[in-house]
Amino acid sequence: MDINLFKEELEELAKKAKHMLNETASKNDLEQVKVSLLGKKGLLTLQSKKIKEANKEDKPTIGQELNRVRSVIQTTIAEKEKEINDKILTEKIAKEAIDVTLPGNQIAIGHQHVITKVKEEIEDLFIGLGYQVIDGREVESDHYNFEMMNLPKDHPARDMQDTFYVTENELLRTQTSPMQARTLEVHDFTKGPLKMISPGRVFRRDSDDATHSHQFHQIEGLVVAENITMSDLKGTLDLFAKSLFGSDRKTRLRPSYFPFTEPSVEVDVSCFKCNGKGCRVCKQTGWIEILGSGMVHPNVLEMAGIDSEKYSGFAFGLGIDRIAMLKYGIDDIRHLYQNDIRFLKQF
Ligand code: PHE
């Protein structure tokens, strides 16, 4: 084998390779050129097979030459590859460019419903006083909704609420009061007093008018421990009224009746609109009724397995809808449920 001829051929090959690589513009082209130079049947591969025919003393030179050309070709391929990739990336960036100066689509942001707002405001107050907030269920058993609240089967007070039955013994709860019985049954009094509120939706057979709806929201409250007295009830609810309607509000208790409290009271707050002089909001009385309350009836404690000689407590139940209406001057309860954005936006 003529070593000079071999060197010439190799030089030719190097030139040709350079030319071929210069011409490539795409990844596919490059792949093909790569194969045709370095592949199994590639030009350089064919050339390197000739080493077998060479003289022994020429072999190292031929080997060196082959390696040199191979490395030149590989470097050029790598450079070309980078060049192509850069080009692809630049084009991609140009194509996907976002014009940040274009005006965007306005996304309307919602906010809490006025009922949720008032509910959370009341929750915050009682959490601050060390109460737990406990969830109840909307489908309740006759047992908890009525029986455990001292309203046996034939009790006349059931009439006002006798209501939406799901099965013979289950109904959409008419009040959040069943949560009194449920928490009393499980509370461990060795660990401390029971102090809880339980908010939620309730349902009644009611006329739908400006102040009544067949569904509305209540918050139940219950405190039971040793030595809880009527003055605890009075102090707590007075604080509640002042925090919700303003620190210069006064409260008064009026005797009332609930089967599960004895004695029972209704709590009025002095009118925040006219300050007690008499106006449309308080129907000229100077007072607004805000909730029902009373000392927990011994029967309710005993039915839940609690010694009514040792423990006593007070309970209250308030209507969130009514409080929201008073607080924000809403004249029709149905506004709260009609989901008219123009109404809801105001709060
Ligand atoms: N559950 C009563 C109602 O719905 C309210 C209430 C609760 C009264 C707790 C006294 C004590 O009218």
PDB file of all heavy atoms in Angstrom, residues 230 233-234 236-241 250-256 258 264-270 287-294 315-318 322-323 326:
ATOM      1  N   MET A 230     -77.339  31.783  85.429  1.00  0.00           N
ATOM      2  CA  MET A 230     -78.000  32.710  84.514  1.00  0.00           C
ATOM      3  C   MET A 230     -77.135  33.950  84.249  1.00  0.00           C
ATOM      4  O   MET A 230     -77.213  34.548  83.188  1.00  0.00           O
ATOM      5  CB  MET A 230     -79.326  33.131  85.160  1.00  0.00           C
ATOM      6  CG  MET A 230     -80.259  33.824  84.244  1.00  0.00           C
ATOM      7  SD  MET A 230     -81.388  32.637  83.488  1.00  0.00           S
ATOM      8  CE  MET A 230     -82.286  33.724  82.416  1.00  0.00           C
ATOM      9  N   LEU A 233     -74.924  33.370  81.328  1.00  0.00           N
ATOM     10  CA  LEU A 233     -75.707  33.551  80.098  1.00  0.00           C
ATOM     11  C   LEU A 233     -75.806  35.032  79.750  1.00  0.00           C
ATOM     12  O   LEU A 233     -75.514  35.448  78.627  1.00  0.00           O
ATOM     13  CB  LEU A 233     -77.094  32.938  80.313  1.00  0.00           C
ATOM     14  CG  LEU A 233     -78.172  33.048  79.227  1.00  0.00           C
ATOM     15  CD1 LEU A 233     -79.219  31.949  79.434  1.00  0.00           C
ATOM     16  CD2 LEU A 233     -78.868  34.392  79.198  1.00  0.00           C
ATOM     17  N   LYS A 234     -76.185  35.818  80.746  1.00  0.00           N
ATOM     18  CA  LYS A 234     -76.424  37.237  80.522  1.00  0.00           C
ATOM     19  C   LYS A 234     -75.154  37.958  80.084  1.00  0.00           C
ATOM     20  O   LYS A 234     -75.151  38.726  79.100  1.00  0.00           O
ATOM     21  CB  LYS A 234     -76.936  37.859  81.840  1.00  0.00           C
ATOM     22  CG  LYS A 234     -77.986  38.905  81.630  1.00  0.00           C
ATOM     23  CD  LYS A 234     -78.510  39.446  82.939  1.00  0.00           C
ATOM     24  CE  LYS A 234     -78.940  40.880  82.692  1.00  0.00           C
ATOM     25  NZ  LYS A 234     -79.373  41.577  83.870  1.00  0.00           N
ATOM     26  N   THR A 236     -72.423  36.674  78.734  1.00  0.00           N
ATOM     27  CA  THR A 236     -71.932  36.213  77.435  1.00  0.00           C
ATOM     28  C   THR A 236     -72.718  36.849  76.294  1.00  0.00           C
ATOM     29  O   THR A 236     -72.144  37.348  75.324  1.00  0.00           O
ATOM     30  CB  THR A 236     -72.054  34.672  77.341  1.00  0.00           C
ATOM     31  OG1 THR A 236     -71.371  34.094  78.446  1.00  0.00           O
ATOM     32  CG2 THR A 236     -71.453  34.157  76.047  1.00  0.00           C
ATOM     33  N   LEU A 237     -74.050  36.833  76.432  1.00  0.00           N
ATOM     34  CA  LEU A 237     -74.866  37.331  75.328  1.00  0.00           C
ATOM     35  C   LEU A 237     -74.818  38.858  75.223  1.00  0.00           C
ATOM     36  O   LEU A 237     -74.937  39.414  74.133  1.00  0.00           O
ATOM     37  CB  LEU A 237     -76.301  36.809  75.460  1.00  0.00           C
ATOM     38  CG  LEU A 237     -76.369  35.272  75.341  1.00  0.00           C
ATOM     39  CD1 LEU A 237     -77.780  34.767  75.506  1.00  0.00           C
ATOM     40  CD2 LEU A 237     -75.772  34.780  74.023  1.00  0.00           C
ATOM     41  N   ASP A 238     -74.581  39.507  76.345  1.00  0.00           N
ATOM     42  CA  ASP A 238     -74.398  40.958  76.315  1.00  0.00           C
ATOM     43  C   ASP A 238     -73.118  41.312  75.545  1.00  0.00           C
ATOM     44  O   ASP A 238     -73.108  42.202  74.692  1.00  0.00           O
ATOM     45  CB  ASP A 238     -74.326  41.495  77.761  1.00  0.00           C
ATOM     46  CG  ASP A 238     -74.393  43.025  77.791  1.00  0.00           C
ATOM     47  OD1 ASP A 238     -75.465  43.569  77.452  1.00  0.00           O
ATOM     48  OD2 ASP A 238     -73.358  43.651  78.114  1.00  0.00           O
ATOM     49  N   LEU A 239     -72.070  40.554  75.827  1.00  0.00           N
ATOM     50  CA  LEU A 239     -70.799  40.756  75.115  1.00  0.00           C
ATOM     51  C   LEU A 239     -70.987  40.505  73.621  1.00  0.00           C
ATOM     52  O   LEU A 239     -70.492  41.244  72.770  1.00  0.00           O
ATOM     53  CB  LEU A 239     -69.749  39.796  75.677  1.00  0.00           C
ATOM     54  CG  LEU A 239     -68.368  39.889  75.032  1.00  0.00           C
ATOM     55  CD1 LEU A 239     -67.636  41.125  75.533  1.00  0.00           C
ATOM     56  CD2 LEU A 239     -67.549  38.643  75.309  1.00  0.00           C
ATOM     57  N   PHE A 240     -71.724  39.427  73.317  1.00  0.00           N
ATOM     58  CA  PHE A 240     -71.988  39.063  71.926  1.00  0.00           C
ATOM     59  C   PHE A 240     -72.693  40.215  71.196  1.00  0.00           C
ATOM     60  O   PHE A 240     -72.276  40.640  70.115  1.00  0.00           O
ATOM     61  CB  PHE A 240     -72.850  37.795  71.905  1.00  0.00           C
ATOM     62  CG  PHE A 240     -73.498  37.533  70.578  1.00  0.00           C
ATOM     63  CD1 PHE A 240     -72.768  37.015  69.521  1.00  0.00           C
ATOM     64  CD2 PHE A 240     -74.852  37.807  70.383  1.00  0.00           C
ATOM     65  CE1 PHE A 240     -73.354  36.775  68.294  1.00  0.00           C
ATOM     66  CE2 PHE A 240     -75.450  37.573  69.156  1.00  0.00           C
ATOM     67  CZ  PHE A 240     -74.700  37.060  68.110  1.00  0.00           C
ATOM     68  N   ALA A 241     -73.752  40.753  71.810  1.00  0.00           N
ATOM     69  CA  ALA A 241     -74.533  41.815  71.165  1.00  0.00           C
ATOM     70  C   ALA A 241     -73.687  43.070  70.957  1.00  0.00           C
ATOM     71  O   ALA A 241     -73.744  43.708  69.904  1.00  0.00           O
ATOM     72  CB  ALA A 241     -75.754  42.145  72.019  1.00  0.00           C
ATOM     73  N   LYS A 250     -77.331  48.099  74.452  1.00  0.00           N
ATOM     74  CA  LYS A 250     -77.788  47.472  75.703  1.00  0.00           C
ATOM     75  C   LYS A 250     -78.546  46.202  75.347  1.00  0.00           C
ATOM     76  O   LYS A 250     -79.065  46.083  74.237  1.00  0.00           O
ATOM     77  CB  LYS A 250     -78.726  48.418  76.450  1.00  0.00           C
ATOM     78  CG  LYS A 250     -78.049  49.600  77.062  1.00  0.00           C
ATOM     79  CD  LYS A 250     -79.062  50.344  77.954  1.00  0.00           C
ATOM     80  CE  LYS A 250     -78.473  51.610  78.531  1.00  0.00           C
ATOM     81  NZ  LYS A 250     -78.179  52.614  77.477  1.00  0.00           N
ATOM     82  N   THR A 251     -78.623  45.255  76.283  1.00  0.00           N
ATOM     83  CA  THR A 251     -79.432  44.060  76.032  1.00  0.00           C
ATOM     84  C   THR A 251     -80.464  43.918  77.142  1.00  0.00           C
ATOM     85  O   THR A 251     -80.281  44.417  78.250  1.00  0.00           O
ATOM     86  CB  THR A 251     -78.565  42.786  76.015  1.00  0.00           C
ATOM     87  OG1 THR A 251     -77.714  42.786  77.156  1.00  0.00           O
ATOM     88  CG2 THR A 251     -77.726  42.703  74.756  1.00  0.00           C
ATOM     89  N   ARG A 252     -81.546  43.236  76.810  1.00  0.00           N
ATOM     90  CA  ARG A 252     -82.527  42.914  77.853  1.00  0.00           C
ATOM     91  C   ARG A 252     -83.039  41.497  77.623  1.00  0.00           C
ATOM     92  O   ARG A 252     -83.058  41.012  76.489  1.00  0.00           O
ATOM     93  CB  ARG A 252     -83.681  43.921  77.879  1.00  0.00           C
ATOM     94  CG  ARG A 252     -84.632  43.750  76.737  1.00  0.00           C
ATOM     95  CD  ARG A 252     -85.866  44.638  76.878  1.00  0.00           C
ATOM     96  NE  ARG A 252     -86.797  44.353  75.780  1.00  0.00           N
ATOM     97  CZ  ARG A 252     -87.843  45.105  75.475  1.00  0.00           C
ATOM     98  NH1 ARG A 252     -88.103  46.204  76.157  1.00  0.00           N
ATOM     99  NH2 ARG A 252     -88.644  44.755  74.483  1.00  0.00           N
ATOM    100  N   LEU A 253     -83.422  40.840  78.697  1.00  0.00           N
ATOM    101  CA  LEU A 253     -83.963  39.483  78.595  1.00  0.00           C
ATOM    102  C   LEU A 253     -85.463  39.528  78.825  1.00  0.00           C
ATOM    103  O   LEU A 253     -85.935  40.194  79.743  1.00  0.00           O
ATOM    104  CB  LEU A 253     -83.316  38.574  79.648  1.00  0.00           C
ATOM    105  CG  LEU A 253     -81.785  38.543  79.678  1.00  0.00           C
ATOM    106  CD1 LEU A 253     -81.307  37.533  80.730  1.00  0.00           C
ATOM    107  CD2 LEU A 253     -81.210  38.183  78.328  1.00  0.00           C
ATOM    108  N   ARG A 254     -86.189  38.809  77.967  1.00  0.00           N
ATOM    109  CA  ARG A 254     -87.639  38.680  78.158  1.00  0.00           C
ATOM    110  C   ARG A 254     -87.969  37.218  78.378  1.00  0.00           C
ATOM    111  O   ARG A 254     -87.399  36.357  77.704  1.00  0.00           O
ATOM    112  CB  ARG A 254     -88.376  39.138  76.898  1.00  0.00           C
ATOM    113  CG  ARG A 254     -88.747  40.606  76.872  1.00  0.00           C
ATOM    114  CD  ARG A 254     -89.493  40.952  75.602  1.00  0.00           C
ATOM    115  NE  ARG A 254     -88.701  40.692  74.406  1.00  0.00           N
ATOM    116  CZ  ARG A 254     -88.982  39.740  73.552  1.00  0.00           C
ATOM    117  NH1 ARG A 254     -90.012  38.921  73.756  1.00  0.00           N
ATOM    118  NH2 ARG A 254     -88.233  39.555  72.488  1.00  0.00           N
ATOM    119  N   PRO A 255     -88.862  36.911  79.295  1.00  0.00           N
ATOM    120  CA  PRO A 255     -89.207  35.503  79.517  1.00  0.00           C
ATOM    121  C   PRO A 255     -89.806  34.887  78.255  1.00  0.00           C
ATOM    122  O   PRO A 255     -90.515  35.559  77.506  1.00  0.00           O
ATOM    123  CB  PRO A 255     -90.233  35.533  80.649  1.00  0.00           C
ATOM    124  CG  PRO A 255     -90.513  36.944  80.939  1.00  0.00           C
ATOM    125  CD  PRO A 255     -89.602  37.826  80.166  1.00  0.00           C
ATOM    126  N   SER A 256     -89.485  33.632  78.035  1.00  0.00           N
ATOM    127  CA  SER A 256     -89.993  32.958  76.846  1.00  0.00           C
ATOM    128  C   SER A 256     -90.156  31.482  77.160  1.00  0.00           C
ATOM    129  O   SER A 256     -90.055  31.066  78.329  1.00  0.00           O
ATOM    130  CB  SER A 256     -89.020  33.186  75.694  1.00  0.00           C
ATOM    131  OG  SER A 256     -89.518  32.589  74.511  1.00  0.00           O
ATOM    132  N   PHE A 258     -88.931  27.551  75.665  1.00  0.00           N
ATOM    133  CA  PHE A 258     -88.409  26.507  74.780  1.00  0.00           C
ATOM    134  C   PHE A 258     -88.422  25.213  75.581  1.00  0.00           C
ATOM    135  O   PHE A 258     -88.136  25.236  76.783  1.00  0.00           O
ATOM    136  CB  PHE A 258     -86.967  26.813  74.322  1.00  0.00           C
ATOM    137  CG  PHE A 258     -86.833  28.103  73.562  1.00  0.00           C
ATOM    138  CD1 PHE A 258     -86.325  29.243  74.178  1.00  0.00           C
ATOM    139  CD2 PHE A 258     -87.225  28.181  72.233  1.00  0.00           C
ATOM    140  CE1 PHE A 258     -86.213  30.440  73.481  1.00  0.00           C
ATOM    141  CE2 PHE A 258     -87.115  29.376  71.530  1.00  0.00           C
ATOM    142  CZ  PHE A 258     -86.607  30.504  72.159  1.00  0.00           C
ATOM    143  N   SER A 264     -86.446  30.001  80.184  1.00  0.00           N
ATOM    144  CA  SER A 264     -86.085  30.401  78.821  1.00  0.00           C
ATOM    145  C   SER A 264     -86.243  31.913  78.662  1.00  0.00           C
ATOM    146  O   SER A 264     -87.097  32.519  79.311  1.00  0.00           O
ATOM    147  CB  SER A 264     -87.004  29.718  77.804  1.00  0.00           C
ATOM    148  OG  SER A 264     -86.922  28.320  77.922  1.00  0.00           O
ATOM    149  N   VAL A 265     -85.419  32.473  77.810  1.00  0.00           N
ATOM    150  CA  VAL A 265     -85.504  33.920  77.570  1.00  0.00           C
ATOM    151  C   VAL A 265     -85.350  34.231  76.092  1.00  0.00           C
ATOM    152  O   VAL A 265     -84.790  33.435  75.335  1.00  0.00           O
ATOM    153  CB  VAL A 265     -84.399  34.704  78.332  1.00  0.00           C
ATOM    154  CG1 VAL A 265     -84.640  34.662  79.825  1.00  0.00           C
ATOM    155  CG2 VAL A 265     -83.023  34.186  77.976  1.00  0.00           C
ATOM    156  N   GLU A 266     -85.853  35.392  75.716  1.00  0.00           N
ATOM    157  CA  GLU A 266     -85.502  35.929  74.421  1.00  0.00           C
ATOM    158  C   GLU A 266     -84.642  37.162  74.678  1.00  0.00           C
ATOM    159  O   GLU A 266     -84.884  37.902  75.629  1.00  0.00           O
ATOM    160  CB  GLU A 266     -86.758  36.264  73.617  1.00  0.00           C
ATOM    161  CG  GLU A 266     -86.948  35.284  72.472  1.00  0.00           C
ATOM    162  CD  GLU A 266     -88.398  35.090  72.085  1.00  0.00           C
ATOM    163  OE1 GLU A 266     -89.034  36.103  71.772  1.00  0.00           O
ATOM    164  OE2 GLU A 266     -88.862  33.932  72.096  1.00  0.00           O
ATOM    165  N   VAL A 267     -83.633  37.328  73.859  1.00  0.00           N
ATOM    166  CA  VAL A 267     -82.689  38.427  74.097  1.00  0.00           C
ATOM    167  C   VAL A 267     -82.917  39.528  73.059  1.00  0.00           C
ATOM    168  O   VAL A 267     -82.948  39.261  71.854  1.00  0.00           O
ATOM    169  CB  VAL A 267     -81.233  37.924  74.027  1.00  0.00           C
ATOM    170  CG1 VAL A 267     -80.259  39.076  74.241  1.00  0.00           C
ATOM    171  CG2 VAL A 267     -81.001  36.826  75.059  1.00  0.00           C
ATOM    172  N   ASP A 268     -83.118  40.726  73.555  1.00  0.00           N
ATOM    173  CA  ASP A 268     -83.273  41.890  72.676  1.00  0.00           C
ATOM    174  C   ASP A 268     -82.044  42.776  72.796  1.00  0.00           C
ATOM    175  O   ASP A 268     -81.415  42.854  73.849  1.00  0.00           O
ATOM    176  CB  ASP A 268     -84.485  42.742  73.105  1.00  0.00           C
ATOM    177  CG  ASP A 268     -85.799  41.994  72.946  1.00  0.00           C
ATOM    178  OD1 ASP A 268     -85.823  40.984  72.218  1.00  0.00           O
ATOM    179  OD2 ASP A 268     -86.791  42.438  73.566  1.00  0.00           O
ATOM    180  N   VAL A 269     -81.723  43.463  71.719  1.00  0.00           N
ATOM    181  CA  VAL A 269     -80.644  44.442  71.759  1.00  0.00           C
ATOM    182  C   VAL A 269     -81.262  45.807  71.460  1.00  0.00           C
ATOM    183  O   VAL A 269     -82.193  45.912  70.656  1.00  0.00           O
ATOM    184  CB  VAL A 269     -79.521  44.068  70.758  1.00  0.00           C
ATOM    185  CG1 VAL A 269     -80.023  44.000  69.336  1.00  0.00           C
ATOM    186  CG2 VAL A 269     -78.349  45.032  70.839  1.00  0.00           C
ATOM    187  N   SER A 270     -80.754  46.841  72.139  1.00  0.00           N
ATOM    188  CA  SER A 270     -81.315  48.172  71.888  1.00  0.00           C
ATOM    189  C   SER A 270     -81.021  48.557  70.438  1.00  0.00           C
ATOM    190  O   SER A 270     -79.949  48.275  69.908  1.00  0.00           O
ATOM    191  CB  SER A 270     -80.707  49.195  72.856  1.00  0.00           C
ATOM    192  OG  SER A 270     -79.306  49.256  72.679  1.00  0.00           O
ATOM    193  N   TRP A 287     -86.282  48.234  70.627  1.00  0.00           N
ATOM    194  CA  TRP A 287     -85.560  46.970  70.883  1.00  0.00           C
ATOM    195  C   TRP A 287     -85.696  46.033  69.688  1.00  0.00           C
ATOM    196  O   TRP A 287     -86.704  46.024  69.009  1.00  0.00           O
ATOM    197  CB  TRP A 287     -86.120  46.274  72.123  1.00  0.00           C
ATOM    198  CG  TRP A 287     -85.882  47.049  73.378  1.00  0.00           C
ATOM    199  CD1 TRP A 287     -86.733  47.925  73.960  1.00  0.00           C
ATOM    200  CD2 TRP A 287     -84.702  47.022  74.188  1.00  0.00           C
ATOM    201  NE1 TRP A 287     -86.179  48.468  75.095  1.00  0.00           N
ATOM    202  CE2 TRP A 287     -84.925  47.917  75.259  1.00  0.00           C
ATOM    203  CE3 TRP A 287     -83.480  46.340  74.132  1.00  0.00           C
ATOM    204  CZ2 TRP A 287     -83.977  48.143  76.262  1.00  0.00           C
ATOM    205  CZ3 TRP A 287     -82.533  46.555  75.125  1.00  0.00           C
ATOM    206  CH2 TRP A 287     -82.787  47.463  76.185  1.00  0.00           C
ATOM    207  N   ILE A 288     -84.664  45.244  69.474  1.00  0.00           N
ATOM    208  CA  ILE A 288     -84.696  44.251  68.400  1.00  0.00           C
ATOM    209  C   ILE A 288     -84.378  42.879  68.978  1.00  0.00           C
ATOM    210  O   ILE A 288     -83.360  42.710  69.671  1.00  0.00           O
ATOM    211  CB  ILE A 288     -83.647  44.595  67.307  1.00  0.00           C
ATOM    212  CG1 ILE A 288     -83.968  45.956  66.687  1.00  0.00           C
ATOM    213  CG2 ILE A 288     -83.608  43.523  66.242  1.00  0.00           C
ATOM    214  CD1 ILE A 288     -82.874  46.469  65.778  1.00  0.00           C
ATOM    215  N   GLU A 289     -85.247  41.914  68.675  1.00  0.00           N
ATOM    216  CA  GLU A 289     -85.015  40.555  69.184  1.00  0.00           C
ATOM    217  C   GLU A 289     -83.918  39.901  68.355  1.00  0.00           C
ATOM    218  O   GLU A 289     -83.958  39.910  67.128  1.00  0.00           O
ATOM    219  CB  GLU A 289     -86.317  39.751  69.062  1.00  0.00           C
ATOM    220  CG  GLU A 289     -86.180  38.347  69.564  1.00  0.00           C
ATOM    221  CD  GLU A 289     -87.300  37.447  69.034  1.00  0.00           C
ATOM    222  OE1 GLU A 289     -88.441  37.933  68.880  1.00  0.00           O
ATOM    223  OE2 GLU A 289     -87.003  36.268  68.762  1.00  0.00           O
ATOM    224  N   ILE A 290     -82.899  39.340  69.031  1.00  0.00           N
ATOM    225  CA  ILE A 290     -81.831  38.725  68.245  1.00  0.00           C
ATOM    226  C   ILE A 290     -81.652  37.220  68.471  1.00  0.00           C
ATOM    227  O   ILE A 290     -81.094  36.540  67.621  1.00  0.00           O
ATOM    228  CB  ILE A 290     -80.458  39.422  68.413  1.00  0.00           C
ATOM    229  CG1 ILE A 290     -80.065  39.521  69.885  1.00  0.00           C
ATOM    230  CG2 ILE A 290     -80.462  40.785  67.733  1.00  0.00           C
ATOM    231  CD1 ILE A 290     -78.598  39.899  70.075  1.00  0.00           C
ATOM    232  N   LEU A 291     -82.099  36.700  69.598  1.00  0.00           N
ATOM    233  CA  LEU A 291     -81.905  35.254  69.773  1.00  0.00           C
ATOM    234  C   LEU A 291     -82.731  34.678  70.912  1.00  0.00           C
ATOM    235  O   LEU A 291     -83.273  35.404  71.744  1.00  0.00           O
ATOM    236  CB  LEU A 291     -80.411  34.921  69.984  1.00  0.00           C
ATOM    237  CG  LEU A 291     -79.639  35.592  71.110  1.00  0.00           C
ATOM    238  CD1 LEU A 291     -79.823  34.859  72.431  1.00  0.00           C
ATOM    239  CD2 LEU A 291     -78.155  35.609  70.763  1.00  0.00           C
ATOM    240  N   GLY A 292     -82.811  33.324  70.912  1.00  0.00           N
ATOM    241  CA  GLY A 292     -83.471  32.598  71.984  1.00  0.00           C
ATOM    242  C   GLY A 292     -82.417  31.931  72.841  1.00  0.00           C
ATOM    243  O   GLY A 292     -81.361  31.542  72.354  1.00  0.00           O
ATOM    244  N   SER A 293     -82.728  31.809  74.139  1.00  0.00           N
ATOM    245  CA  SER A 293     -81.706  31.268  75.035  1.00  0.00           C
ATOM    246  C   SER A 293     -82.354  30.732  76.305  1.00  0.00           C
ATOM    247  O   SER A 293     -83.577  30.816  76.486  1.00  0.00           O
ATOM    248  CB  SER A 293     -80.711  32.389  75.364  1.00  0.00           C
ATOM    249  OG  SER A 293     -79.728  31.926  76.238  1.00  0.00           O
ATOM    250  N   GLY A 294     -81.557  30.200  77.181  1.00  0.00           N
ATOM    251  CA  GLY A 294     -82.083  29.735  78.457  1.00  0.00           C
ATOM    252  C   GLY A 294     -81.096  28.814  79.152  1.00  0.00           C
ATOM    253  O   GLY A 294     -80.048  28.475  78.603  1.00  0.00           O
ATOM    254  N   ALA A 315     -77.787  27.656  77.031  1.00  0.00           N
ATOM    255  CA  ALA A 315     -77.734  27.422  75.591  1.00  0.00           C
ATOM    256  C   ALA A 315     -78.372  28.611  74.895  1.00  0.00           C
ATOM    257  O   ALA A 315     -79.167  29.344  75.489  1.00  0.00           O
ATOM    258  CB  ALA A 315     -78.485  26.144  75.232  1.00  0.00           C
ATOM    259  N   PHE A 316     -77.973  28.816  73.661  1.00  0.00           N
ATOM    260  CA  PHE A 316     -78.634  29.859  72.869  1.00  0.00           C
ATOM    261  C   PHE A 316     -78.661  29.445  71.414  1.00  0.00           C
ATOM    262  O   PHE A 316     -77.900  28.587  70.981  1.00  0.00           O
ATOM    263  CB  PHE A 316     -77.936  31.224  73.034  1.00  0.00           C
ATOM    264  CG  PHE A 316     -76.463  31.209  72.683  1.00  0.00           C
ATOM    265  CD1 PHE A 316     -76.043  31.466  71.379  1.00  0.00           C
ATOM    266  CD2 PHE A 316     -75.511  30.933  73.655  1.00  0.00           C
ATOM    267  CE1 PHE A 316     -74.683  31.459  71.057  1.00  0.00           C
ATOM    268  CE2 PHE A 316     -74.158  30.918  73.332  1.00  0.00           C
ATOM    269  CZ  PHE A 316     -73.740  31.175  72.036  1.00  0.00           C
ATOM    270  N   GLY A 317     -79.613  30.035  70.705  1.00  0.00           N
ATOM    271  CA  GLY A 317     -79.695  29.755  69.278  1.00  0.00           C
ATOM    272  C   GLY A 317     -80.038  31.048  68.557  1.00  0.00           C
ATOM    273  O   GLY A 317     -80.976  31.753  68.929  1.00  0.00           O
ATOM    274  N   LEU A 318     -79.238  31.380  67.551  1.00  0.00           N
ATOM    275  CA  LEU A 318     -79.514  32.633  66.848  1.00  0.00           C
ATOM    276  C   LEU A 318     -79.610  32.387  65.350  1.00  0.00           C
ATOM    277  O   LEU A 318     -79.042  31.437  64.826  1.00  0.00           O
ATOM    278  CB  LEU A 318     -78.428  33.668  67.170  1.00  0.00           C
ATOM    279  CG  LEU A 318     -76.971  33.298  66.850  1.00  0.00           C
ATOM    280  CD1 LEU A 318     -76.594  33.740  65.456  1.00  0.00           C
ATOM    281  CD2 LEU A 318     -76.066  33.933  67.888  1.00  0.00           C
ATOM    282  N   ARG A 322     -81.070  36.518  60.047  1.00  0.00           N
ATOM    283  CA  ARG A 322     -81.710  37.651  60.687  1.00  0.00           C
ATOM    284  C   ARG A 322     -80.676  38.674  61.142  1.00  0.00           C
ATOM    285  O   ARG A 322     -80.851  39.885  60.967  1.00  0.00           O
ATOM    286  CB  ARG A 322     -82.524  37.128  61.884  1.00  0.00           C
ATOM    287  CG  ARG A 322     -83.376  38.169  62.519  1.00  0.00           C
ATOM    288  CD  ARG A 322     -84.276  37.578  63.594  1.00  0.00           C
ATOM    289  NE  ARG A 322     -84.603  38.627  64.551  1.00  0.00           N
ATOM    290  CZ  ARG A 322     -85.383  39.663  64.275  1.00  0.00           C
ATOM    291  NH1 ARG A 322     -85.941  39.759  63.087  1.00  0.00           N
ATOM    292  NH2 ARG A 322     -85.611  40.587  65.176  1.00  0.00           N
ATOM    293  N   ILE A 323     -79.590  38.176  61.725  1.00  0.00           N
ATOM    294  CA  ILE A 323     -78.532  39.081  62.189  1.00  0.00           C
ATOM    295  C   ILE A 323     -77.905  39.816  60.994  1.00  0.00           C
ATOM    296  O   ILE A 323     -77.640  41.020  61.057  1.00  0.00           O
ATOM    297  CB  ILE A 323     -77.458  38.287  62.950  1.00  0.00           C
ATOM    298  CG1 ILE A 323     -78.144  37.581  64.122  1.00  0.00           C
ATOM    299  CG2 ILE A 323     -76.293  39.183  63.363  1.00  0.00           C
ATOM    300  CD1 ILE A 323     -77.624  37.814  65.470  1.00  0.00           C
ATOM    301  N   LEU A 326     -80.266  42.526  59.875  1.00  0.00           N
ATOM    302  CA  LEU A 326     -80.242  43.671  60.782  1.00  0.00           C
ATOM    303  C   LEU A 326     -78.975  44.489  60.592  1.00  0.00           C
ATOM    304  O   LEU A 326     -78.999  45.710  60.472  1.00  0.00           O
ATOM    305  CB  LEU A 326     -80.291  43.183  62.237  1.00  0.00           C
ATOM    306  CG  LEU A 326     -81.632  42.638  62.721  1.00  0.00           C
ATOM    307  CD1 LEU A 326     -81.471  41.978  64.077  1.00  0.00           C
ATOM    308  CD2 LEU A 326     -82.650  43.771  62.786  1.00  0.00           C
TER     309      LEU A 326
END
